Amino acid sequence: MTYQSQVPPDLKQDLLRAVDNSPADWILLNLALSTMKMGGHRYGAFLDAATTAAKLAIYSTFIEQGQNIRKTGFLYHVEPKRVKAIVQEIQAALAEGQSLKVLNSKEPYYLIALPFLWQEHFPCNASESCVRIQGLTPGERKAIEEDLPSGAPRARILDQVEFTELIELLHQMSQEELPKGQRMPFSDALMSHIKFRLLHSSTVIQIDSPLVDIPLYALASESYSPKGEQERVFAMIDDVARYFGLLQAWVREETGVMRGVEVFDVAPQQRQQALQELDEMLRAWADKYHQDGGLPMVLQFAAGRREYD
């Protein structure tokens, strides 16, 4: 099971029409596609984060407007009593040091800790078989073990029930660190999400053997780390956040901030050559002006085929 990373062209146009070709709506749609479809964040987590972002926008405006509830509500078409409730919620969170519900590009605790918990609860030394399924001969157990990748840690191969119980235990342990009001109950949907993340990262592999009627699960890595596209997704989210910050500084007309856009056509056979030349020019430019201990700067850009004029 894998996520499709690119939206088909026809569907992309349908989605664009659905948001009436509004750049702001298109940004939100791309954010949802990136964080949920490509980044693996749950639907509920995305909605919580969007709600928190809106509340923080209300609160920041409340402060900017001299803590005037009515004026804040007027600017955003929100009832004053609702503004007051939002302000009290944010102030209470700040005073108590609570963590608000936001998305995170880093991996959840239970994914990072799973390999350690697996080896702790289901160890397997060199003299034992990793397969404990009843009714199998030593030869059949060995045949199943041969499906393990080279370098896999020594740990028991689990059946579906054991694998589910391990994930539920890990989830419960992670929830104990949160305030009671932020704890999330274990559910089938959450189980499916965690299972997907573990399999997609190749931290865990599923073994479908003709020798048994149920799928088996094996620990394939001693650490959790997203691979390939997932790594680029998290880097993309970080880049977009940084780019938003730079453009906001440009809007405020801060010194030392520049926005640059070039629109042009290029011969298809020269496109890669042009990108390579641009990369070399940028590195030479940065090397020319770099000075140890100087003012820190960042140049961030993306070049590719334009879709909207």
Side-chain angles (χ1 to χ4, degrees):
M1 179 180 180
T2 58
Y3 283 142
Q4 184 178 351
S5 61
Q6 298 295 326
V7 180
D10 292 342
L11 176 58
K12 197 167 187 179
Q13 291 303 316
D14 290 341
L15 294 175
L16 185 58
R17 284 192 293 269
V19 297
D20 197 27
N21 202 17
S22 164
D25 288 337
W26 192 235
I27 289 173
L28 290 175
L29 177 56
N30 271 300
L31 179 61
L33 289 171
S34 299
T35 55
M36 294 175 62
K37 185 177 179 181
M38 299 169 67
H41 292 287
R42 296 175 297 102
Y43 170 75
F46 182 83
L47 291 183
D48 285 342
T51 300
T52 295
K55 290 178 179 178
L56 291 175
I58 294 289
Y59 183 74
S60 64
T61 301
F62 168 74
I63 298 300
E64 292 168 358
Q65 297 299 323
Q67 302 188 19
N68 188 316
I69 289 179
R70 288 190 176 278
K71 191 169 183 179
T72 301
F74 173 78
L75 291 172
Y76 294 112
H77 305 283
V78 183
E79 290 291 332
K81 61 181 181 180
R82 181 57 183 149
V83 174
K84 184 177 181 180
I86 291 172
V87 168
Q88 290 175 343
E89 178 184 348
I90 302 299
Q91 288 178 337
L94 295 174
E96 298 173 10
Q98 296 178 4
S99 296
L100 300 173
K101 293 182 177 180
V102 294
L103 288 173
N104 193 335
S105 61
K106 308 304 180 186
E107 291 302 330
Y109 166 79
Y110 50 73
L111 297 182
I112 298 172
L114 182 126
F116 304 100
L117 195 66
W118 190 315
Q119 294 177 88
E120 178 184 349
H121 284 255
F122 300 99
C124 181
N125 59 48
S127 62
E128 296 177 317
S129 171
C130 295
V131 182
R132 306 289 175 85
I133 307 299
Q134 298 296 322
L136 296 178
T137 66
E140 290 173 332
R141 297 177 192 273
K142 185 176 181 181
I144 293 176
E145 290 181 353
E146 290 176 351
D147 289 331
L148 292 173
S150 59
R154 291 293 301 183
R156 274 183 51 194
I157 296 177
L158 308 182
D159 60 28
Q160 177 73 55
V161 174
E162 292 172 322
F163 185 48
T164 301
E165 290 177 346
L166 178 64
I167 293 179
E168 185 172 7
L169 173 62
L170 197 56
H171 173 73
Q172 291 173 351
M173 292 174 60
S174 68
Q175 296 301 297
E176 291 175 357
E177 299 182 353
L178 300 175
K180 289 186 178 181
Q182 296 183 20
R183 294 180 184 179
M184 180 185 303
F186 193 71
S187 64
D188 290 341
L190 184 57
M191 167 63 197
S192 298
H193 171 79
I194 298 173
K195 177 181 174 182
F196 169 78
R197 302 295 291 146
L198 293 170
L199 292 174
H200 187 63
S201 67
S202 297
T203 304
V204 177
I205 61 170
Q206 179 174 320
I207 300 175
D208 297 307
S209 172
L211 300 173
V212 293
D213 298 329
I214 56 176
L216 303 177
Y217 299 90
L219 182 63
S221 174
E222 292 186 346
S223 62
Y224 175 87
S225 177
K227 297 181 179 178
E229 183 182 59
Q230 294 300 316
E231 292 181 344
R232 290 196 168 198
V233 167
F234 297 136
M236 176 193 68
I237 293 173
D238 290 340
D239 284 353
V240 170
R242 187 185 304 110
Y243 189 64
F244 264 75
L246 289 171
L247 286 184
Q248 287 171 342
W250 173 75
V251 169
R252 294 190 297 267
E253 299 184 3
E254 293 185 8
T255 303
V257 179
M258 173 183 175
R259 171 183 174 266
V261 178
E262 288 291 342
V263 178
F264 62 100
D265 296 337
V266 65
Q269 66 272 20
Q270 291 187 311
R271 180 173 60 177
Q272 197 58 41
Q273 176 186 344
L275 293 175
Q276 180 64 33
E277 183 178 338
L278 176 61
D279 179 53
E280 294 172 357
M281 289 170 55
L282 291 176
R283 282 189 282 114
W285 173 80
D287 289 342
K288 176 180 179 180
Y289 289 101
H290 172 73
Q291 180 179 334
D292 291 339
L295 184 69
M297 293 282 291
V298 59
L299 170 65
Q300 182 170 314
F301 79 100
R305 183 170 180 172
R306 71 180 186 272
E307 299 184 19
Y308 317 109
D309 291 323

